[in-house]
Amino acid sequence: MKQCNANRKRNKLVNFWVTPDEIALIETRVKLTGLAKGEYLIETLLKQDISISAGKYESDRLSLQLSRLSDALSHCDMNTEEGKMLLDECKLLFQELIKILKKKVDVNGKDIE
């Protein structure tokens, strides 16, 4: 039975595959926190520190994403729903990049609070 998600606060579904060992570990961690599984996953994913590696593979992937956004922006009508969604995606991407760039790191590569 399909649920109506229009009036939900969280109306987007995220799925991913895990191994039996990974699901056992996830479920154990969820139990330890006392949170609902969805809340645990949301908190874990949204509060995880992101760092940009200087390696070629990571740099190429970031460059590819920025190129994809640039191409999409140049071919998109910003007055449509698709255009607004693309602008929102760009805004979120740049907000996260700014947070990463502002993070201070000491000489040993450790974060400085």
Side-chain angles (χ1 to χ4, degrees):
M1 178 166 86
K2 190 168 183 163
Q3 295 179 340
C4 179
N5 296 325
N7 295 324
R8 293 177 58 97
K9 175 182 175 185
R10 292 184 173 133
N11 59 0
K12 300 294 181 188
L13 178 64
V14 176
N15 291 326
F16 56 94
W17 294 96
V18 295
T19 66
D21 291 339
E22 290 168 335
I23 193 64
L25 184 56
I26 291 168
E27 289 174 353
T28 300
R29 289 177 176 214
V30 169
K31 288 176 187 173
L32 289 172
T33 65
L35 296 172
K37 190 184 296 184
E39 284 298 317
Y40 170 79
L41 293 172
I42 290 167
E43 291 291 317
T44 301
L45 293 170
L46 294 181
K47 292 186 178 179
Q48 178 182 4
D49 283 337
I50 298 173
S51 62
I52 297 176
S53 300
K56 175 150 177 46
Y57 177 72
E58 291 84 2
S59 297
D60 287 349
R61 291 187 67 188
L62 178 59
S63 177
L64 184 63
Q65 282 288 46
L66 292 174
S67 178
R68 182 188 66 78
L69 282 174
S70 176
D71 289 345
L73 283 170
S74 66
H75 295 97
C76 188
D77 179 2
M78 296 304 157
N79 296 319
T80 65
E81 189 63 30
E82 180 185 351
K84 292 174 186 173
M85 287 173 50
L86 183 59
L87 286 176
D88 287 342
E89 181 182 353
C90 289
K91 181 180 175 184
L92 289 172
L93 174 69
F94 285 112
Q95 286 172 345
E96 291 300 315
L97 285 172
I98 289 167
K99 283 182 197 175
I100 292 167
L101 293 173
K102 285 184 175 180
K103 189 192 304 186
K104 295 182 180 169
V105 178
D106 71 12
V107 293
N108 297 320
K110 304 266 184 188
D111 293 347
I112 301 172
E113 296 295 327

